[in-house]
Amino acid sequence: MFKYALLDYFPKRKLHLASFDQQLVNHMILGFKDGRNVYTRWAARLFARALVFMDLSDTVIVCIPASTRFSHVRRWKMFAELLCRRSGAINGFDRVQVCGSRKRAHVTGDHELATNIKHYVHIDADFFRGRKVMVIDDICTTGQSSDAFIAAMQAAGATVTMAMFLAATKR
């Protein structure tokens, strides 16, 4: 499976090493994570440009769930609608429901998602069985969250063909 990050992300502790342009990119990424509409549109355009030459008409786009239902809807609902409209992909947003909450791994350092995804996320296995899926997330640091979600999607019967990230944490 192909994994790709569009941008670099500098964590706060390394931000002093970043150029002015990279600090602006960080600001936009964090604005997207906060669900600000202007950055949601920016991120959807960025992904759409990266995917412009791919035929996604039979591919479902699914965003990796945020830590709470509120954060998940705020961050991903409009993004998924915009990206699917621009790319021709099938929107899988409503087929993955966040039912509980989890600790935010980037805050706690505890990658709880890897062990308890079934406790806070419901995946519509009837819908995903036999479908091609592209998984999208905001920031990839260790890859544990994406790997756990991809495994859950595959357990639901989906064929995950690609994972894309808005950014990868610069080490």
Side-chain angles (χ1 to χ4, degrees), residues 17 19 36 70 76 83 94 119:
L17 301 173
S19 68
R36 296 187 196 145
F70 176 77
W76 294 118
L83 180 56
D94 290 329
H119 297 281

Side-chain angles (χ1 to χ4, degrees), residues 125-146:
D126 292 334
F127 175 79
F128 285 110
R129 193 169 296 113
R131 292 194 186 238
K132 286 190 338 187
V133 170
M134 175 188 296
V135 171
I136 293 181
D137 202 3
D138 47 20
I139 299 173
C140 179
T141 299
T142 65
Q144 288 181 324
S145 295
S146 62

Side-chain angles (χ1 to χ4, degrees), residues 4 16 18 79 87 117 134 145-146 159:
Y4 184 75
H16 67 282
F79 170 85
S87 67
I117 191 165
M134 175 188 296
S145 295
S146 62
T159 303

Side-chain angles (χ1 to χ4, degrees), residues 67 101-108 110-113 116:
S67 58
S101 64
R102 67 174 169 89
K103 296 174 188 166
R104 294 180 293 167
H106 67 280
V107 172
T108 65
D110 178 13
H111 294 275
E112 185 181 8
L113 176 62
N116 88 346

Side-chain angles (χ1 to χ4, degrees), residues 62-69 71-73 75-76 93 96-99 102 113 117 120-123 135-138 145 149 153:
V62 179
C63 303
I64 294 180
S67 58
T68 66
R69 176 168 171 64
S71 294
H72 181 66
V73 171
R75 183 176 307 153
W76 294 118
F93 178 82
V96 175
Q97 300 291 319
V98 177
C99 309
R102 67 174 169 89
L113 176 62
I117 191 165
Y120 91 101
V121 173
H122 171 72
I123 297 170
V135 171
I136 293 181
D137 202 3
D138 47 20
S145 295
F149 185 71
M153 290 299 297

Side-chain angles (χ1 to χ4, degrees), residues 7-26:
L7 303 166
D8 288 329
Y9 172 78
F10 280 74
K12 284 184 181 181
R13 68 185 180 282
K14 303 245 183 190
L15 200 53
H16 67 282
L17 301 173
S19 68
F20 177 78
D21 289 342
Q22 183 59 53
Q23 289 180 30
L24 180 60
V25 167
N26 263 39

Side-chain angles (χ1 to χ4, degrees), residues 38-55:
V38 66
Y39 299 117
T40 298
R41 288 189 293 276
W42 163 76
R45 281 192 308 270
L46 196 63
F47 274 93
R49 271 189 252 133
L51 298 169
V52 71
F53 296 113
M54 294 180 70
D55 177 10

